[in-house]
Amino acid sequence: MPIRRRRGWDLPAHALTPEAAVLDRRRVLAALGLGAGTVAAGAFGLRTAFGQGRDPIGWWEAQVGNDPTRDLYPATRTGTYTLDRPLTEPREAITYNNFYEFGSHKGIWQAAQRLPLRPWTLTIDGLVATPRTVDIDELIRRFPLEERHYRFRCVEAWAMAVPWTGFPLAELVRWAEPLGSAKYIVFDTFQDARVAPGFRQTWYPWPYQDGLTIAEAMNELSLMVTGIYGKPLPPQMGAPLRVITPWKYGFKQPKSIVRISFTDQRPVSFWEKLQGNEYGFWANVNPEVPHPRWSQATERMLGTGERRPTLIWNGYGEYVAHLYDGLTGERLFA
Ligand code: MTE
């Protein structure tokens, strides 16, 4: 997302890494037995010869052969969620990405091939009956996968329509057994400076993080996504696990999630920390609420370049508008 450029030395006070966060990261690395320079490479792990100059589709198909869950794809489509536009060409969706860990431009697909997808674990903690850490393959096999065709709208006004594969976030929440006091769910994403150069840009408040209310997480549209176009996700689209909430702008949908925490405190997300006057907690799509620097009235479809009118709630009002009844005084659309 466009941010105001600062000179390298011109760090805003809020962008400084808090000492506690640095210490915490050291503790995590120590607990994992990883010192500086240690490379954790396993089966389907760190890829050194990645797709420089390769065809993105051919490269992806070759990688899928290594995925331990490939037998689960393609999943059966849930017909309930229909589109008003054609699906975006896979090549367009997998080569035009926002993944700031790998660069602050759209052409990061090759750089993202360095992300080691296995071993990968998801930690579930905070206000839950029993905190736990689960292996990603065990998690993916725990919940039946389904395919859903959803619109996707980035706050930058580009859009796509894609077939995601995943399972309802509500199922994961129920399995996590949050305590009655939990009000929010927070998604933390991977943070490993050995594979992603973005972490050296210390003015960003890493790790990429965002959250939802428990009611939003329990909504039937909220999906934990493991695949796209009938295959496991490619790294650049958030493998092995991301979240999709199609009525919200894309920045509310973290990729490559490693931790899900339940809390009673409203989280302040990556973009909100960076530019709270432009990006807030709710970020629901609304054509009538412009971004401070551009209109949201229309959107540009990836691939075709077609301009379409933006839909309130990205067209999903019948499922989600009720979640916001009575929330007056909140910036619901930023
Ligand atoms: N997740 C992580 N970890 N890092 C990111 O930079 N960018 C967000 C979101 N999730 C981002 C992220 C933004 S701004 C958008 S628009 C979408 O991912 C883009 O998803 P896509 O590139 O898979 O289409």
PDB file of all heavy atoms in Angstrom, residues 1 96-101 152 154 158 160 189 208 236-237 242 250-251 253-255 271, ligand 1:
ATOM      1  N   MET A   1       0.846  -1.180   0.000  1.00  0.00           N
ATOM      2  CA  MET A   1       0.000   0.000   0.000  1.00  0.00           C
ATOM      3  C   MET A   1       0.880   1.227   0.000  1.00  0.00           C
ATOM      4  O   MET A   1       1.934   1.216   0.614  1.00  0.00           O
ATOM      5  CB  MET A   1      -0.855   0.004   1.256  1.00  0.00           C
ATOM      6  CG  MET A   1      -1.858  -1.106   1.203  1.00  0.00           C
ATOM      7  SD  MET A   1      -3.165  -0.920   2.347  1.00  0.00           S
ATOM      8  CE  MET A   1      -2.309  -0.893   3.857  1.00  0.00           C
ATOM      9  N   TYR A  96       0.821 -10.448  -8.883  1.00  0.00           N
ATOM     10  CA  TYR A  96       0.575  -9.047  -8.500  1.00  0.00           C
ATOM     11  C   TYR A  96       0.170  -9.092  -7.030  1.00  0.00           C
ATOM     12  O   TYR A  96      -0.975  -9.392  -6.700  1.00  0.00           O
ATOM     13  CB  TYR A  96      -0.548  -8.468  -9.362  1.00  0.00           C
ATOM     14  CG  TYR A  96      -0.756  -6.984  -9.212  1.00  0.00           C
ATOM     15  CD1 TYR A  96      -0.104  -6.087 -10.055  1.00  0.00           C
ATOM     16  CD2 TYR A  96      -1.619  -6.463  -8.246  1.00  0.00           C
ATOM     17  CE1 TYR A  96      -0.296  -4.716  -9.934  1.00  0.00           C
ATOM     18  CE2 TYR A  96      -1.817  -5.103  -8.123  1.00  0.00           C
ATOM     19  CZ  TYR A  96      -1.161  -4.237  -8.973  1.00  0.00           C
ATOM     20  OH  TYR A  96      -1.355  -2.882  -8.848  1.00  0.00           O
ATOM     21  N   ASN A  97       1.131  -8.899  -6.158  1.00  0.00           N
ATOM     22  CA  ASN A  97       0.879  -9.184  -4.742  1.00  0.00           C
ATOM     23  C   ASN A  97       1.365  -8.071  -3.823  1.00  0.00           C
ATOM     24  O   ASN A  97       2.318  -7.374  -4.140  1.00  0.00           O
ATOM     25  CB  ASN A  97       1.581 -10.480  -4.328  1.00  0.00           C
ATOM     26  CG  ASN A  97       1.127 -11.649  -5.169  1.00  0.00           C
ATOM     27  OD1 ASN A  97       1.827 -12.108  -6.062  1.00  0.00           O
ATOM     28  ND2 ASN A  97      -0.070 -12.132  -4.913  1.00  0.00           N
ATOM     29  N   ASN A  98       0.707  -7.989  -2.681  1.00  0.00           N
ATOM     30  CA  ASN A  98       1.230  -7.193  -1.569  1.00  0.00           C
ATOM     31  C   ASN A  98       1.743  -8.157  -0.516  1.00  0.00           C
ATOM     32  O   ASN A  98       0.966  -8.959   0.033  1.00  0.00           O
ATOM     33  CB  ASN A  98       0.120  -6.318  -0.952  1.00  0.00           C
ATOM     34  CG  ASN A  98      -0.066  -5.017  -1.697  1.00  0.00           C
ATOM     35  OD1 ASN A  98       0.845  -4.532  -2.366  1.00  0.00           O
ATOM     36  ND2 ASN A  98      -1.250  -4.436  -1.584  1.00  0.00           N
ATOM     37  N   PHE A  99       3.038  -8.127  -0.285  1.00  0.00           N
ATOM     38  CA  PHE A  99       3.649  -8.994   0.737  1.00  0.00           C
ATOM     39  C   PHE A  99       4.919  -8.256   1.132  1.00  0.00           C
ATOM     40  O   PHE A  99       6.008  -8.527   0.625  1.00  0.00           O
ATOM     41  CB  PHE A  99       3.953 -10.374   0.148  1.00  0.00           C
ATOM     42  CG  PHE A  99       3.985 -11.509   1.135  1.00  0.00           C
ATOM     43  CD1 PHE A  99       3.901 -12.829   0.699  1.00  0.00           C
ATOM     44  CD2 PHE A  99       4.109 -11.286   2.500  1.00  0.00           C
ATOM     45  CE1 PHE A  99       3.919 -13.907   1.582  1.00  0.00           C
ATOM     46  CE2 PHE A  99       4.128 -12.344   3.395  1.00  0.00           C
ATOM     47  CZ  PHE A  99       4.031 -13.657   2.937  1.00  0.00           C
ATOM     48  N   TYR A 100       4.748  -7.285   2.018  1.00  0.00           N
ATOM     49  CA  TYR A 100       5.814  -6.322   2.319  1.00  0.00           C
ATOM     50  C   TYR A 100       7.063  -6.961   2.897  1.00  0.00           C
ATOM     51  O   TYR A 100       8.151  -6.393   2.810  1.00  0.00           O
ATOM     52  CB  TYR A 100       5.265  -5.212   3.231  1.00  0.00           C
ATOM     53  CG  TYR A 100       4.522  -4.178   2.414  1.00  0.00           C
ATOM     54  CD1 TYR A 100       3.270  -4.472   1.869  1.00  0.00           C
ATOM     55  CD2 TYR A 100       5.083  -2.949   2.133  1.00  0.00           C
ATOM     56  CE1 TYR A 100       2.611  -3.552   1.074  1.00  0.00           C
ATOM     57  CE2 TYR A 100       4.432  -2.023   1.345  1.00  0.00           C
ATOM     58  CZ  TYR A 100       3.194  -2.330   0.821  1.00  0.00           C
ATOM     59  OH  TYR A 100       2.554  -1.427   0.025  1.00  0.00           O
ATOM     60  N   GLU A 101       6.924  -8.149   3.467  1.00  0.00           N
ATOM     61  CA  GLU A 101       8.096  -8.853   3.970  1.00  0.00           C
ATOM     62  C   GLU A 101       9.098  -9.084   2.831  1.00  0.00           C
ATOM     63  O   GLU A 101      10.295  -9.173   3.049  1.00  0.00           O
ATOM     64  CB  GLU A 101       7.679 -10.206   4.574  1.00  0.00           C
ATOM     65  CG  GLU A 101       6.888 -10.110   5.876  1.00  0.00           C
ATOM     66  CD  GLU A 101       5.392  -9.932   5.676  1.00  0.00           C
ATOM     67  OE1 GLU A 101       4.973  -9.390   4.623  1.00  0.00           O
ATOM     68  OE2 GLU A 101       4.620 -10.321   6.568  1.00  0.00           O
ATOM     69  N   PHE A 152     -12.356 -10.030  -4.069  1.00  0.00           N
ATOM     70  CA  PHE A 152     -11.284  -9.550  -3.190  1.00  0.00           C
ATOM     71  C   PHE A 152     -11.022  -8.104  -3.580  1.00  0.00           C
ATOM     72  O   PHE A 152     -10.851  -7.797  -4.757  1.00  0.00           O
ATOM     73  CB  PHE A 152     -10.026 -10.393  -3.398  1.00  0.00           C
ATOM     74  CG  PHE A 152      -8.845  -9.980  -2.549  1.00  0.00           C
ATOM     75  CD1 PHE A 152      -8.551 -10.648  -1.369  1.00  0.00           C
ATOM     76  CD2 PHE A 152      -8.022  -8.931  -2.947  1.00  0.00           C
ATOM     77  CE1 PHE A 152      -7.455 -10.272  -0.600  1.00  0.00           C
ATOM     78  CE2 PHE A 152      -6.933  -8.550  -2.176  1.00  0.00           C
ATOM     79  CZ  PHE A 152      -6.646  -9.229  -0.998  1.00  0.00           C
ATOM     80  N   CYS A 154      -8.628  -4.739  -2.706  1.00  0.00           N
ATOM     81  CA  CYS A 154      -7.538  -4.080  -1.972  1.00  0.00           C
ATOM     82  C   CYS A 154      -7.911  -2.622  -1.748  1.00  0.00           C
ATOM     83  O   CYS A 154      -8.575  -2.006  -2.588  1.00  0.00           O
ATOM     84  CB  CYS A 154      -6.238  -4.175  -2.772  1.00  0.00           C
ATOM     85  SG  CYS A 154      -4.883  -3.251  -1.997  1.00  0.00           S
ATOM     86  N   TRP A 158      -7.408  -1.949  -6.485  1.00  0.00           N
ATOM     87  CA  TRP A 158      -7.385  -3.065  -7.423  1.00  0.00           C
ATOM     88  C   TRP A 158      -8.209  -4.203  -6.811  1.00  0.00           C
ATOM     89  O   TRP A 158      -8.385  -4.274  -5.579  1.00  0.00           O
ATOM     90  CB  TRP A 158      -5.965  -3.512  -7.797  1.00  0.00           C
ATOM     91  CG  TRP A 158      -5.039  -3.901  -6.685  1.00  0.00           C
ATOM     92  CD1 TRP A 158      -4.158  -3.083  -6.037  1.00  0.00           C
ATOM     93  CD2 TRP A 158      -4.889  -5.197  -6.082  1.00  0.00           C
ATOM     94  NE1 TRP A 158      -3.468  -3.783  -5.082  1.00  0.00           N
ATOM     95  CE2 TRP A 158      -3.894  -5.085  -5.084  1.00  0.00           C
ATOM     96  CE3 TRP A 158      -5.486  -6.438  -6.282  1.00  0.00           C
ATOM     97  CZ2 TRP A 158      -3.493  -6.161  -4.281  1.00  0.00           C
ATOM     98  CZ3 TRP A 158      -5.089  -7.514  -5.483  1.00  0.00           C
ATOM     99  CH2 TRP A 158      -4.107  -7.366  -4.509  1.00  0.00           C
ATOM    100  N   MET A 160      -9.893  -8.478  -7.502  1.00  0.00           N
ATOM    101  CA  MET A 160      -9.841  -9.738  -8.245  1.00  0.00           C
ATOM    102  C   MET A 160     -11.003 -10.613  -7.773  1.00  0.00           C
ATOM    103  O   MET A 160     -11.696 -10.268  -6.806  1.00  0.00           O
ATOM    104  CB  MET A 160      -8.492 -10.446  -8.041  1.00  0.00           C
ATOM    105  CG  MET A 160      -8.140 -10.768  -6.624  1.00  0.00           C
ATOM    106  SD  MET A 160      -6.464 -11.481  -6.505  1.00  0.00           S
ATOM    107  CE  MET A 160      -6.368 -11.785  -4.735  1.00  0.00           C
ATOM    108  N   THR A 189       1.958 -13.101  11.797  1.00  0.00           N
ATOM    109  CA  THR A 189       2.501 -13.793  10.631  1.00  0.00           C
ATOM    110  C   THR A 189       3.998 -14.047  10.827  1.00  0.00           C
ATOM    111  O   THR A 189       4.604 -13.575  11.793  1.00  0.00           O
ATOM    112  CB  THR A 189       2.222 -12.980   9.365  1.00  0.00           C
ATOM    113  OG1 THR A 189       2.916 -11.750   9.462  1.00  0.00           O
ATOM    114  CG2 THR A 189       0.735 -12.687   9.210  1.00  0.00           C
ATOM    115  N   TYR A 208       3.835  -8.555  10.498  1.00  0.00           N
ATOM    116  CA  TYR A 208       2.540  -8.153   9.954  1.00  0.00           C
ATOM    117  C   TYR A 208       1.463  -8.806  10.812  1.00  0.00           C
ATOM    118  O   TYR A 208       1.493 -10.003  11.063  1.00  0.00           O
ATOM    119  CB  TYR A 208       2.408  -8.628   8.510  1.00  0.00           C
ATOM    120  CG  TYR A 208       1.289  -7.931   7.764  1.00  0.00           C
ATOM    121  CD1 TYR A 208       1.562  -6.876   6.917  1.00  0.00           C
ATOM    122  CD2 TYR A 208      -0.033  -8.318   7.933  1.00  0.00           C
ATOM    123  CE1 TYR A 208       0.538  -6.223   6.231  1.00  0.00           C
ATOM    124  CE2 TYR A 208      -1.058  -7.677   7.263  1.00  0.00           C
ATOM    125  CZ  TYR A 208      -0.763  -6.632   6.417  1.00  0.00           C
ATOM    126  OH  TYR A 208      -1.785  -5.975   5.753  1.00  0.00           O
ATOM    127  N   GLN A 236       3.770 -16.627  -2.392  1.00  0.00           N
ATOM    128  CA  GLN A 236       3.486 -15.201  -2.520  1.00  0.00           C
ATOM    129  C   GLN A 236       2.053 -14.843  -2.149  1.00  0.00           C
ATOM    130  O   GLN A 236       1.746 -13.675  -1.922  1.00  0.00           O
ATOM    131  CB  GLN A 236       3.811 -14.704  -3.945  1.00  0.00           C
ATOM    132  CG  GLN A 236       2.963 -15.278  -5.074  1.00  0.00           C
ATOM    133  CD  GLN A 236       3.546 -16.548  -5.670  1.00  0.00           C
ATOM    134  OE1 GLN A 236       4.207 -17.326  -4.991  1.00  0.00           O
ATOM    135  NE2 GLN A 236       3.285 -16.779  -6.953  1.00  0.00           N
ATOM    136  N   MET A 237       1.171 -15.846  -2.086  1.00  0.00           N
ATOM    137  CA  MET A 237      -0.215 -15.559  -1.709  1.00  0.00           C
ATOM    138  C   MET A 237      -0.520 -15.944  -0.272  1.00  0.00           C
ATOM    139  O   MET A 237      -1.675 -15.969   0.139  1.00  0.00           O
ATOM    140  CB  MET A 237      -1.185 -16.216  -2.674  1.00  0.00           C
ATOM    141  CG  MET A 237      -1.026 -15.632  -4.068  1.00  0.00           C
ATOM    142  SD  MET A 237      -2.506 -15.666  -5.064  1.00  0.00           S
ATOM    143  CE  MET A 237      -3.484 -14.344  -4.367  1.00  0.00           C
ATOM    144  N   ARG A 242      -3.554 -18.437   5.409  1.00  0.00           N
ATOM    145  CA  ARG A 242      -3.916 -17.022   5.526  1.00  0.00           C
ATOM    146  C   ARG A 242      -5.386 -16.933   5.891  1.00  0.00           C
ATOM    147  O   ARG A 242      -6.087 -17.948   5.890  1.00  0.00           O
ATOM    148  CB  ARG A 242      -3.626 -16.275   4.229  1.00  0.00           C
ATOM    149  CG  ARG A 242      -4.635 -16.553   3.139  1.00  0.00           C
ATOM    150  CD  ARG A 242      -4.326 -15.801   1.859  1.00  0.00           C
ATOM    151  NE  ARG A 242      -4.487 -14.366   1.988  1.00  0.00           N
ATOM    152  CZ  ARG A 242      -4.201 -13.510   1.009  1.00  0.00           C
ATOM    153  NH1 ARG A 242      -3.741 -13.947  -0.145  1.00  0.00           N
ATOM    154  NH2 ARG A 242      -4.380 -12.220   1.165  1.00  0.00           N
ATOM    155  N   GLY A 250      -8.230  -5.725   1.606  1.00  0.00           N
ATOM    156  CA  GLY A 250      -7.249  -6.809   1.612  1.00  0.00           C
ATOM    157  C   GLY A 250      -6.228  -6.734   2.730  1.00  0.00           C
ATOM    158  O   GLY A 250      -5.710  -7.765   3.170  1.00  0.00           O
ATOM    159  N   PHE A 251      -5.921  -5.550   3.221  1.00  0.00           N
ATOM    160  CA  PHE A 251      -4.873  -5.472   4.245  1.00  0.00           C
ATOM    161  C   PHE A 251      -5.303  -6.100   5.560  1.00  0.00           C
ATOM    162  O   PHE A 251      -4.474  -6.367   6.430  1.00  0.00           O
ATOM    163  CB  PHE A 251      -4.389  -4.019   4.434  1.00  0.00           C
ATOM    164  CG  PHE A 251      -5.334  -3.081   5.143  1.00  0.00           C
ATOM    165  CD1 PHE A 251      -5.303  -2.946   6.526  1.00  0.00           C
ATOM    166  CD2 PHE A 251      -6.222  -2.297   4.426  1.00  0.00           C
ATOM    167  CE1 PHE A 251      -6.148  -2.059   7.179  1.00  0.00           C
ATOM    168  CE2 PHE A 251      -7.066  -1.396   5.057  1.00  0.00           C
ATOM    169  CZ  PHE A 251      -7.036  -1.278   6.441  1.00  0.00           C
ATOM    170  N   GLN A 253      -6.233  -9.019   5.844  1.00  0.00           N
ATOM    171  CA  GLN A 253      -6.231 -10.457   5.586  1.00  0.00           C
ATOM    172  C   GLN A 253      -4.804 -10.999   5.562  1.00  0.00           C
ATOM    173  O   GLN A 253      -4.224 -11.253   4.506  1.00  0.00           O
ATOM    174  CB  GLN A 253      -6.981 -10.687   4.268  1.00  0.00           C
ATOM    175  CG  GLN A 253      -8.353  -9.999   4.371  1.00  0.00           C
ATOM    176  CD  GLN A 253      -9.232 -10.084   3.168  1.00  0.00           C
ATOM    177  OE1 GLN A 253      -9.243 -11.079   2.457  1.00  0.00           O
ATOM    178  NE2 GLN A 253     -10.004  -9.047   2.936  1.00  0.00           N
ATOM    179  N   PRO A 254      -4.212 -11.153   6.769  1.00  0.00           N
ATOM    180  CA  PRO A 254      -2.797 -11.515   6.863  1.00  0.00           C
ATOM    181  C   PRO A 254      -2.461 -12.855   6.202  1.00  0.00           C
ATOM    182  O   PRO A 254      -3.251 -13.800   6.216  1.00  0.00           O
ATOM    183  CB  PRO A 254      -2.538 -11.589   8.368  1.00  0.00           C
ATOM    184  CG  PRO A 254      -3.636 -10.816   8.991  1.00  0.00           C
ATOM    185  CD  PRO A 254      -4.818 -10.964   8.089  1.00  0.00           C
ATOM    186  N   LYS A 255      -1.251 -12.898   5.672  1.00  0.00           N
ATOM    187  CA  LYS A 255      -0.749 -14.096   4.990  1.00  0.00           C
ATOM    188  C   LYS A 255       0.338 -14.768   5.824  1.00  0.00           C
ATOM    189  O   LYS A 255       1.052 -14.102   6.558  1.00  0.00           O
ATOM    190  CB  LYS A 255      -0.106 -13.691   3.668  1.00  0.00           C
ATOM    191  CG  LYS A 255      -0.904 -12.749   2.809  1.00  0.00           C
ATOM    192  CD  LYS A 255      -0.474 -12.862   1.381  1.00  0.00           C
ATOM    193  CE  LYS A 255       0.044 -11.609   0.783  1.00  0.00           C
ATOM    194  NZ  LYS A 255       0.145 -11.676  -0.682  1.00  0.00           N
ATOM    195  N   TRP A 271      -0.879  -1.752   9.665  1.00  0.00           N
ATOM    196  CA  TRP A 271      -1.079  -0.496   8.940  1.00  0.00           C
ATOM    197  C   TRP A 271      -1.586   0.598   9.847  1.00  0.00           C
ATOM    198  O   TRP A 271      -1.305   1.782   9.647  1.00  0.00           O
ATOM    199  CB  TRP A 271      -2.020  -0.714   7.744  1.00  0.00           C
ATOM    200  CG  TRP A 271      -1.324  -1.484   6.680  1.00  0.00           C
ATOM    201  CD1 TRP A 271      -1.528  -2.781   6.344  1.00  0.00           C
ATOM    202  CD2 TRP A 271      -0.250  -1.017   5.842  1.00  0.00           C
ATOM    203  NE1 TRP A 271      -0.652  -3.154   5.348  1.00  0.00           N
ATOM    204  CE2 TRP A 271       0.134  -2.092   5.020  1.00  0.00           C
ATOM    205  CE3 TRP A 271       0.411   0.203   5.717  1.00  0.00           C
ATOM    206  CZ2 TRP A 271       1.159  -1.991   4.082  1.00  0.00           C
ATOM    207  CZ3 TRP A 271       1.434   0.310   4.781  1.00  0.00           C
ATOM    208  CH2 TRP A 271       1.791  -0.770   3.979  1.00  0.00           C
TER     209      TRP A 271
HETATM  210  N1  MTE B   1       0.096 -10.346   4.879  1.00  0.00           N
HETATM  211  C1  MTE B   1       1.399 -10.228   5.149  1.00  0.00           C
HETATM  212  N2  MTE B   1       1.977 -11.131   5.971  1.00  0.00           N
HETATM  213  N3  MTE B   1       2.166  -9.225   4.634  1.00  0.00           N
HETATM  214  C2  MTE B   1       1.606  -8.270   3.812  1.00  0.00           C
HETATM  215  O1  MTE B   1       2.325  -7.361   3.357  1.00  0.00           O
HETATM  216  N4  MTE B   1      -0.404  -7.437   2.711  1.00  0.00           N
HETATM  217  C3  MTE B   1      -1.852  -7.333   2.822  1.00  0.00           C
HETATM  218  C4  MTE B   1      -2.527  -8.706   2.863  1.00  0.00           C
HETATM  219  N5  MTE B   1      -1.824  -9.600   3.779  1.00  0.00           N
HETATM  220  C5  MTE B   1       0.225  -8.355   3.510  1.00  0.00           C
HETATM  221  C6  MTE B   1      -0.506  -9.440   4.054  1.00  0.00           C
HETATM  222  C7  MTE B   1      -2.421  -6.531   1.747  1.00  0.00           C
HETATM  223  S1  MTE B   1      -2.127  -4.859   1.828  1.00  0.00           S
HETATM  224  C8  MTE B   1      -3.174  -7.080   0.752  1.00  0.00           C
HETATM  225  S2  MTE B   1      -3.991  -6.119  -0.376  1.00  0.00           S
HETATM  226  C9  MTE B   1      -3.283  -8.539   0.594  1.00  0.00           C
HETATM  227  O2  MTE B   1      -2.516  -9.249   1.550  1.00  0.00           O
HETATM  228  C10 MTE B   1      -2.840  -8.953  -0.797  1.00  0.00           C
HETATM  229  O3  MTE B   1      -3.015 -10.325  -0.976  1.00  0.00           O
HETATM  230  P1  MTE B   1      -2.482 -11.036  -2.307  1.00  0.00           P
HETATM  231  O4  MTE B   1      -1.157 -10.444  -2.650  1.00  0.00           O
HETATM  232  O5  MTE B   1      -2.377 -12.480  -1.956  1.00  0.00           O
HETATM  233  O6  MTE B   1      -3.490 -10.780  -3.369  1.00  0.00           O
END
